[in-house]
Each structure stands twice: as C-alpha cells, then as structure tokens.
Amino acid sequence: MEASAKTVSARNGSVNEDWTVVVPRRGRGRKRTNPLVQTREPLPQKPIPWSPTDFEVNSLRESKLMQKMELCMKKLETSQFFLTLLDQIESQEISNNLQKVLGSDSNMQMVIYGIGSIESYENPRLQLSLALLLKRKFTWIGGIEVFDPVLSSTESQVLEVLGCSVLSIDEQGRRKAQKPTMFFMPHCEAELYDNLLEENLRVGLLKNIVLFGNSFDNYEQYASQFKNSVVALSRHIFLGP
C-alpha cells in the first residue's frame, strides 16, 4: 500500500462500539447486523442514482427526530468516550499526520457511508452525533456528505437541517479522493471499505484519505476463519504497508 497507517481507537461501554481512526503516514438501540457478516448480494461495481423510497417529509417525525438528535449530542459531548477520543486526535502524532494529509488545504471533506436509520435506532444517532461534534470541535473538518440507502425523506431533511448534504448517488464506496477527505464508516461492510481502497489505490490517491471506522484486524480474523466469505474476498483491506 502506498501509505502506512497510524491508528487511534477508543471505547465507550454505553455505545458498545470500537472506533478507529486511520491516518496515512508518509514513509510507512437495536444492534445493527455485524459488519463482518454479509449475507446480501455483492455491491454493484458502478455508482447508481438514488432517492428515498418515500416522498413525503413528515413534519411531526422531523421535529421528534431533531429532539432525539439534540439529546444524543448532549449525551455524547460529555461522555468519557468523546473526551478520550478528542485527546487522542489532538495528540502530537495524530495532529502531525492529519496535517500531512491536509497539506496546503485548510480543511478536509467528511463523507459518511452506511450511517443507518437515524430515526429508528440509537447507534446511528450516536454515530452521526459524533461526526457533528467532531466538525464543531475541529476547524479542519469541512462539509459533511451522508449516504445510506435506508434513509427516508424525513431523515434526509433532518440531515440537511443539521448541515449535512445527502448524496443523490449511491457511490458504492467508490469515491476518488481528489482532495483530503475523511471517510466516516464506523459500521460498514468490508466490501465497502474494499471498494474505497481499490478505487483510490489504483490512481495513487490513498495519501488523501483518513478513515474513521472499523479495525481491519477484526475483518482479517473473520476472513481467516471463513475463507469463502465476502470479507475474505475483500483483498485490499488486507494489504500491508
């Protein structure tokens, strides 16, 4: 791989998630389905147009969802998990590596894939709250783009109100990072990560990517046990430095 990686992780028992930030280093509610276990058909190879399957924004649902998001952000902002994560990101080593990715740019775009239904489940709301709080804290985080095929019209409207842009294309993870970009993917399948890495590896753009998501070590352990799984076939996430 063209760039080695610096990894920082934190844990919050109330969220029951492991979070990992991977930075290129020059030189070297209900629980959602386990992202290591994928039973659906493989992702299409090309981006496809997308829009919510429902067409009506429900104002009452929108108001209730906004209230849930506000409460969720307040809860997360004072949590030990968030304070620990801030300390790690602000460490000298991580700050230096982030600056290398930024280069002469003043900020990096954030792209959120696979956020899930923020109306139905708390974990997606926590993940979105974390992204919004990080943007509030760090001036180097620019605009936020969001996509998940399960998003409803009401959820899309709330995301827009919160300052995010909802993509109208299902990119299948194949976004070329032409400029510094943080990909926020804390609960995505291995195949989505693999698409992202493949798309950028072949055009030499890995140096522009910061990944915030699952530890690839977990995928590798799963792949070693289930050698014919979709995870095992996602070869780009197992490439060494």
Side-chain angles (χ1 to χ4, degrees), residues 193-205:
Y193 284 103
D194 201 61
N195 282 357
L196 176 64
L197 295 176
E198 180 183 32
E199 195 71 21
N200 287 277
L201 177 63
R202 63 185 179 186
V203 290
L205 293 176

Side-chain angles (χ1 to χ4, degrees), residues 62-122:
E62 181 182 346
S63 176
K64 288 183 176 180
L65 181 53
M66 283 296 298
Q67 291 176 9
K68 287 181 179 180
M69 283 301 305
E70 290 169 2
L71 290 173
C72 199
M73 291 179 69
K74 288 180 180 178
K75 173 183 176 181
L76 185 60
E77 190 172 21
T78 57
S79 69
Q80 188 57 53
F81 164 78
F82 183 62
L83 298 176
T84 299
L85 183 62
L86 290 183
D87 286 342
Q88 292 178 318
I89 294 176
E90 291 175 327
S91 68
Q92 192 65 51
E93 186 174 8
I94 295 298
S95 295
N96 288 344
N97 284 306
L98 286 168
Q99 189 55 54
K100 288 178 181 178
V101 178
L102 281 167
S104 60
D105 291 276
S106 59
N107 56 59
M108 66 175 67
Q109 179 82 18
M110 180 186 283
V111 177
I112 301 177
Y113 288 140
I115 192 65
S117 172
I118 61 174
E119 186 175 18
S120 301
Y121 307 117
E122 184 179 29

